Amino acid sequence: NDDVDPAPNNSDDNTAIREEEAELAEETEEARLAADPDGDGITTGEEESADNGFVTDPADIDSDDDGINDGVEIAGGLFVDVGDGAGGTETVNTDPNVTNVDNDGLTDGEELAAGTNPLRADTDGDTLSDGEEVANGTDPTKADTDGDGENDDVDPAPNNSDDNTAI
């Protein structure tokens, strides 16, 4: 078609080559976006767009370096203590771009390892943050670590049930 061809009298105008190159570039980009180079279960296209709610690094399995893979954080595959003292759990999502979502002194990965809730600074509700409890050696999933009747925040010896200060 002479109306579209920039050089209608020149059969060497490379129009067909440019179209093939454009098609190849498009196929290459589609393949790049469909790939998952870091193996976190999220494609490059998903990681580069906010379609999943987050923009993460497609070359880093753990964009925030908190010890939890981005795919798990986004999919909500984290089972955590609900702080009910009975071992109840819930499934939560954490932010794959924030190392410590609840700002309690523990990374989300450390919280998962400790059995605490990365969305609650004080999983057991005793007014001590999960980070403080881990640092103190008390159990961040039990308001009364030693079971003596005094919550850890007021117990002078929260790891010693023989202190009997509450009795």
Side-chain angles (χ1 to χ4, degrees), residues 6 11 14 17 34 37-38 44 51 53 58 62 68 72 77 88 106 109 121-122 127 129 145 148-149 153 156 161 164:
S11 62
N14 298 324
I17 293 172
D38 60 8
T44 296
D51 290 348
D62 182 10
I68 305 172
V72 172
L106 300 176
D122 178 15
T127 74
S129 75
T145 296
D148 67 355
D153 61 326
S161 62
N164 294 323

Side-chain angles (χ1 to χ4, degrees), residues 43-56:
T43 67
T44 296
E46 293 168 329
E47 293 207 54
E48 290 179 351
S49 71
D51 290 348
N52 61 22
F54 304 97
V55 175
T56 52

